Amino acid sequence: MEKGVKKLGDILVDAELITEDQLKEALQLQKQNYKPLGELLLDLNYVTENQLYKALEYLFQVPYINLLETTPEKDALSLINENVAQKHTLIPVAATPKTITVVMKDPLNYEAIDDVGLLTGREVKIAISPPKDITNAIDRYYSNEGAKKAVEDLSKEFALMDLSGLAEMVDSQVANAPVVRLVNSIILQAVKSGASDIHIEPEEKDMRVRFRIDGELNEVMRSSNVAHPAIITRIKIIGKMDIAEKRIPQDGRVETVIDDRSVDMRLSILPTVYGEKVVIRILGGQSQALSRDMLGLSNDNYTLFDNIIKSPNGIILVSGPTGSGKTTTLYTVLKELNRPEVNIITVEDPVEYKLEGINQVQVNTKAGLTFVSGLRSILRQDPDIIMIGEIRDSETAQIAIRASITGHLVLSTIHTNDSASSVARLVDMGIEPYLVSSSVVGVIAQRLVKRICPHCKVSYRPDHAEMMMLKLKEPKMLYRGEGCNYCNNTGYKGRTAIHEIMVVNREIRELIDRRATTDQLRQMAARFGTKTLRESCIDLVLEGITTTAELTKVTYSIEG
């Protein structure tokens, strides 16, 4: 292996991708931790993944296949099961009656090559690709195939079965039941895809499954509706709902661990004309990723954000529609303010992240624990900082205002279009303007916009309409995604936030006291550095992060 390692290094040096000194440094590190040379060079940022695999292609004389641009053949996938693929980090991409082509991370893994040969009885042809691309492909394609297989089994086994008996099955039977495998497969696929919601919907003849990924619903499966009653029954069982009741909506909750990740699922069942529809909201229980850098704040907004959260008391509001990332922003602020000498208590519905060192209260309306009753109890718990999941009525707003005036820092969300209209909303709830002006220290309005996929990103010249939209006097290169396997041919991958931050200073307080209009507040805020949501989105378009299509879609209703 040492000989092969040196050859790889020589290839990279000859191609002038690394220097002799960098190679010596990597070889010295290799003696300490025994990692492959290629991995060490990647860790040191001396080569890119593409450069490394091009060198490996030359070294081993095997083709490099870009799995982001290649779709495995279904016949090939059926020849190797998911366990073997995961064990050896490989995926089959093509097959003939005598050969099978597999993409591997290590072309010298002869154990894997022998296993594939014995399993398929065919000559094994090797290709290479980065491990993470192979793992993503395994998750994407095998979960689809597994779900389809489970649907077929379910249709055969449960078509004539009395589903009321499913609840009385013993554990060993349930674990092997096709309906359990199908539901598990759907949930696993959703979690690995980064979906926020799963929609299981009955139609006249079919059942369809859709995932909400990056704010958009994508159909991932469609099958005969024969399987639908069994799936609904299984979901009711795990959500501890009444399996006999089919006429009224029901709600449930499930906590589980998937791929070493804590996942909290909220289940909602709604009767429709063709049967019961299920929506599963997937909430991540992890908070490690929460940091200010993850919020996507621009440099100007970063400064305004800093000014707001340094306030010792008052109300900080985060506004926007459902699914705009308000709760994530609040949790990020809480994590930053969390210190041993500070008592932080929250009342939420639901608790989306569990934060160590913070006392979190879950609303339970059936038991009489509402935002109002919870907030009243919290004030008797000697808090320094209070977080209310949402200000949704006058009573909650009154208590929050009272708490902020008496020296507490209160964080909450409110459903308004922009930062200035949040003030009007509080006044509409019956809060006196002088109380609003003396308690609110800042409002953060936000939306989520989709990022252009980095793997299929291309540049183009904007047309006249786009130049007008972006207020460009001279043409400037813009970007969009063409669509690839990595982004499921959408052209987008992931989302980032746009913000409009209004710091309530002396001038704005005076306007609030005089019952100024929303437009007047907006104009005054602009004088002190507040950028509108639309302006923030235009900046992202010009930076090549998002598109004009997203600009129109996300900020159309707030153009004024």
Side-chain angles (χ1 to χ4, degrees):
M1 287 296 293
E2 186 65 28
K3 185 179 178 183
V5 164
K6 287 181 179 177
K7 283 182 179 177
L8 173 60
D10 291 340
I11 291 169
L12 293 168
V13 170
D14 291 343
E16 297 183 352
L17 296 172
I18 61 172
T19 65
E20 290 280 1
D21 289 341
Q22 289 173 332
L23 175 59
K24 287 176 183 176
E25 180 187 352
L27 290 172
Q28 192 62 38
L29 283 173
Q30 192 179 39
K31 293 176 182 177
Q32 300 170 17
N33 57 23
Y34 305 106
K35 285 178 76 172
L37 178 63
E39 286 185 31
L40 286 170
L41 292 170
L42 285 173
D43 292 343
L44 292 166
N45 291 321
Y46 289 161
V47 294
T48 65
E49 212 165 50
N50 188 55
Q51 290 169 337
L52 174 63
Y53 277 85
K54 286 294 183 184
L56 290 172
E57 181 180 42
Y58 177 81
L59 174 64
F60 295 116
Q61 295 297 297
V62 295
Y64 162 64
I65 288 182
N66 187 343
L67 288 171
L68 302 179
E69 300 173 354
T70 304
T71 302
E73 296 174 1
K74 289 184 179 180
D75 290 345
L77 287 170
S78 66
L79 294 172
I80 298 176
N81 62 49
E82 186 176 359
N83 291 336
V84 173
Q86 288 180 335
K87 177 184 175 183
H88 297 302
T89 315
L90 58 82
I91 187 165
V93 292
T96 69
K98 293 184 179 180
T99 66
I100 183 167
T101 302
V102 293
V103 180
M104 305 172 62
K105 68 171 184 178
D106 180 9
L108 297 179
N109 186 345
Y110 298 114
E111 180 189 352
I113 296 169
D114 289 344
D115 281 357
V116 171
L118 288 170
L119 188 66
T120 62
R122 305 179 190 210
E123 178 191 347
V124 181
K125 292 186 175 181
I126 305 300
I128 55 172
S129 199
K132 65 177 178 55
D133 289 356
I134 298 173
T135 302
N136 288 337
I138 291 171
D139 290 343
R140 185 185 309 128
Y141 296 111
Y142 276 105
S143 55
N144 285 340
E145 294 303 309
K148 289 174 185 175
K149 179 67 166 61
V151 168
E152 292 172 7
D153 293 345
L154 183 61
S155 298
K156 294 173 187 174
E157 186 167 331
F158 281 75
L160 302 175
M161 179 177 176
D162 178 8
L163 295 174
S164 62
L166 187 61
E168 284 73 45
M169 276 186 167
V170 296
D171 290 344
S172 60
Q173 287 177 295
V174 168
N176 295 316
V179 64
V180 176
R181 288 192 285 112
L182 176 55
V183 172
N184 290 349
S185 176
I186 290 171
I187 293 172
L188 180 64
Q189 185 181 353
V191 170
K192 288 185 174 181
S193 300
S196 61
D197 300 88
I198 304 169
H199 291 241
I200 302 174
E201 303 162 312
E203 297 180 347
E204 186 175 7
K205 296 179 180 178
D206 295 334
M207 174 196 75
R208 69 173 175 175
V209 179
R210 295 190 291 172
F211 294 166
R212 188 176 293 280
I213 301 173
D214 294 339
E216 294 284 335
L217 280 172
N218 302 283
E219 185 173 311
V220 295
M221 189 176 76
R222 182 178 285 270
S223 70
S224 165
N225 59 13
V226 171
H228 180 258
I231 291 172
I232 297 298
T233 302
R234 174 59 187 166
I235 290 172
K236 284 181 179 178
I237 291 169
I238 63 175
K240 296 180 174 58
M241 292 178 265
D242 184 355
I243 65 171
E245 182 56 74
K246 300 179 181 179
R247 300 164 299 173
I248 59 173
Q250 295 191 65
D251 295 313
R253 177 180 176 180
V254 182
E255 288 189 52
T256 187
V257 176
I258 298 175
D259 282 353
D260 299 322
R261 171 188 165 191
S262 174
V263 176
D264 187 1
M265 295 181 289
R266 303 304 165 99
L267 316 176
S268 173
I269 293 183
L270 180 72
T272 71
V273 290
Y274 294 120
E276 293 170 288
K277 172 183 174 172
V278 178
V279 174
I280 303 174
R281 166 65 59 88
I282 301 172
L283 305 173
Q286 304 301 318
S287 61
Q288 289 86 345
L290 295 172
S291 71
R292 198 192 294 196
D293 293 337
M294 303 286 287
L295 296 180
L297 292 162
S298 66
N299 291 335
D300 292 339
N301 281 335
Y302 196 96
T303 303
L304 295 175
F305 184 87
D306 214 37
N307 291 340
I308 289 175
I309 69 169
K310 284 180 178 175
S311 301
N313 52 57
I315 296 180
I316 298 173
L317 291 173
V318 183
S319 75
T322 301
S324 59
K326 300 188 299 297
T327 306
T328 300
T329 299
L330 280 186
Y331 278 123
T332 303
V333 174
L334 284 182
K335 192 174 182 185
E336 194 164 316
L337 297 175
N338 187 16
R339 300 186 303 276
E341 67 271 19
V342 177
N343 180 21
I344 302 177
I345 308 178
T346 75
V347 54
E348 310 168 58
D349 184 23
V351 174
E352 293 192 26
Y353 298 92
K354 293 173 184 173
L355 300 175
E356 189 175 344
I358 292 178
N359 307 283
Q360 295 174 271
V361 177
Q362 168 70 53
V363 166
N364 187 339
T365 309
K366 292 179 181 177
L369 177 55
T370 62
F371 278 116
V372 173
S373 62
L375 192 48
R376 283 183 177 142
S377 299
I378 282 173
L379 291 171
R380 295 191 288 269
Q381 289 281 317
D382 185 31
D384 296 299
I385 299 172
I386 300 167
M387 194 268 265
I388 309 164
E390 181 188 341
I391 293 179
R392 56 177 65 168
D393 55 49
S394 177
E395 199 171 0
T396 307
Q398 292 278 5
I399 299 172
I401 293 281
R402 204 172 307 132
S404 69
I405 291 173
T406 53
H408 302 90
L409 181 62
V410 179
L411 288 77
S412 189
T413 68
I414 191 166
H415 286 283
T416 56
N417 276 339
D418 60 10
S419 55
S421 57
S422 300
V423 172
R425 180 79 181 104
L426 288 174
V427 174
D428 286 344
M429 286 182 177
I431 309 297
E432 288 295 329
Y434 76 90
L435 288 175
V436 175
S437 67
S438 59
S439 59
V440 178
V441 295
V443 186
I444 304 166
Q446 67 179 64
R447 298 287 191 279
L448 294 178
V449 295
K450 290 183 286 189
R451 287 177 171 271
I452 300 170
C453 173
H455 295 281
C456 58
K457 185 176 181 178
V458 295
S459 61
Y460 72 98
R461 287 193 172 275
D463 58 26
H464 179 70
E466 286 177 309
M467 288 182 62
M468 293 285 288
M469 190 189 306
L470 299 171
K471 301 175 183 176
L472 291 176
K473 294 179 181 178
E474 298 291 333
K476 176 182 171 63
M477 295 303 289
L478 301 182
Y479 297 88
R480 61 186 170 214
E482 289 190 313
C484 63
N485 283 343
Y486 183 71
C487 61
N488 290 321
N489 295 309
T490 61
Y492 298 99
K493 189 67 176 179
R495 289 188 290 178
T496 190
I498 53 173
H499 302 89
E500 176 184 301
I501 302 179
M502 182 177 76
V503 179
V504 180
N505 56 20
R506 180 172 54 84
E507 288 81 3
I508 290 178
R509 279 198 296 272
E510 289 175 358
L511 285 178
I512 295 172
D513 287 339
R514 297 204 305 264
R515 294 181 181 268
T517 65
T518 300
D519 284 339
Q520 289 172 324
L521 289 173
R522 202 176 285 132
Q523 289 166 11
M524 180 63 75
R527 287 175 52 188
F528 291 96
T530 297
K531 274 191 170 184
T532 66
L533 289 164
R534 188 170 180 81
E535 288 167 344
S536 295
C537 195
I538 286 173
D539 288 344
L540 293 187
V541 173
L542 297 177
E543 290 169 23
I545 294 171
T546 191
T547 64
T548 53
E550 277 294 282
L551 170 66
T552 303
K553 175 184 170 186
V554 175
T555 67
Y556 177 78
S557 62
I558 47 176
E559 286 186 33

